[in-house]
Amino acid sequence: MHDNAAVGTSLEASSPLNTFGIDPGSDNHILIAGGVGITPILAMALELAKRKSSWRLLYIGSSRQEMAFLDHLRGVRERVTVWETALRGRPNVAALVREWIEGPSTTLYCCGPTGLIESVSSDFSSHDGVRVISERFAATPELDGSFEVELGRSGERVRVPAGVSVLDVLEERGVDIPWSCRAGICGTCETPLISGQTDHGDSLVGMTRAADVCFPCVVRAVDDDVIVLDI
């Protein structure tokens, strides 16, 4: 972009992809934001308020002076719990959130530091009637083990070495797969999965994960199985 885009240049763009959106099938929504994790959560809160949905927001930060967008939440402050760790220490998120679970189905949306997301997922992922979806600041893919990938349409098999992604290997062979983050966060490289035992390795644990897809930037085979992709 910096080197080649100029006035008159035509650029091709795909439609927006949202892997962290409001669950349309949920009766109740609980939003959990840690620090700058409020950025996507804010839009959700305002949209849920506009829809007159059942929702609550826990916003965790060091102090109000360092917490962004508080002014934007004034109109819905009765639904918002602001937790300043400098004054009150770290919150017992599980205890707070349990009080807000109601109705046949509740979705928890969490964005913030890895520790917060992992804690929420651990506490509620197996809770009946509760679904947890999250968005991470970043991911560090673990590209362990060597295995084979088969291209289902041609039958060609390629070896994926340890430390190298499936996406890297396929690109070297001229296979064109759209990508953006290369870290299992954005979902752009989603590819149909025909067979194979896989460690998905991505952070898309909510709206987009399906059993018959994988993300070549991070997916790995389990027990040296062969991953067969529909490409």
Side-chain angles (χ1 to χ4, degrees):
M1 287 286 291
H2 291 287
D3 293 338
N4 301 314
V7 175
T9 302
S10 295
L11 303 174
E12 182 178 348
S14 64
S15 58
L17 178 66
N18 184 10
T19 61
F20 189 56
I22 295 172
D23 183 354
S26 185
D27 301 297
N28 184 40
H29 309 266
I30 299 174
L31 313 174
I32 304 169
V36 296
I38 189 62
T39 307
I41 294 292
L42 172 67
M44 290 179 171
L46 298 180
E47 177 62 22
L48 289 168
K50 181 180 178 181
R51 297 181 187 181
K52 301 187 184 304
S53 300
S54 172
W55 68 279
R56 294 293 301 268
L57 165 61
L58 173 62
Y59 183 8
I60 307 166
S62 177
S63 67
R64 285 180 176 269
Q65 292 73 27
E66 298 180 9
M67 298 171 75
F69 302 124
L70 286 177
D71 287 346
H72 292 71
L73 293 167
R74 284 181 179 174
V76 292
R77 57 181 175 271
E78 72 279 359
R79 293 278 181 176
V80 180
T81 297
V82 177
W83 191 283
E84 298 176 86
T85 58
L87 297 177
R88 307 171 69 182
R90 294 184 180 276
N92 185 334
V93 176
L96 286 168
V97 166
R98 284 193 182 96
E99 296 181 1
W100 300 338
I101 295 174
E102 60 183 42
S105 62
T106 293
T107 299
L108 271 64
Y109 310 81
C110 186
C111 184
T114 299
L116 174 64
I117 292 174
E118 291 180 350
S119 175
V120 170
S121 296
S122 175
D123 289 334
F124 293 99
S125 289
S126 60
H127 194 292
D128 289 341
V130 175
R131 181 185 189 192
V132 179
I133 63 175
S134 61
E135 182 170 78
R136 298 174 182 266
F137 295 152
T140 304
E142 295 183 5
L143 304 178
D144 297 330
S146 176
F147 57 95
E148 288 190 335
V149 170
E150 180 176 321
L151 307 185
R153 299 178 192 177
S154 67
E156 179 186 0
R157 285 195 179 188
V158 294
R159 171 63 60 173
V160 180
V164 179
S165 72
V166 174
L167 181 60
D168 292 332
V169 170
L170 295 182
E171 283 183 332
E172 289 179 359
R173 284 159 176 75
V175 179
D176 184 18
I177 298 177
W179 61 269
S180 180
C181 72
R182 301 187 85 97
I185 298 174
C186 71
T188 303
C189 67
E190 179 179 307
T191 300
L193 174 67
I194 297 176
S195 65
Q197 298 183 60
T198 60
D199 176 1
H200 281 266
D202 61 87
S203 299
L204 299 163
V205 296
M207 309 289 278
T208 62
R209 168 68 71 74
D212 58 351
V213 302
C214 68
F215 302 91
C217 64
V218 291
V219 70
R220 311 304 286 178
V222 175
D223 296 331
D224 200 30
D225 199 4
V226 177
I227 297 177
V228 183
L229 303 178
D230 186 14
I231 54 177

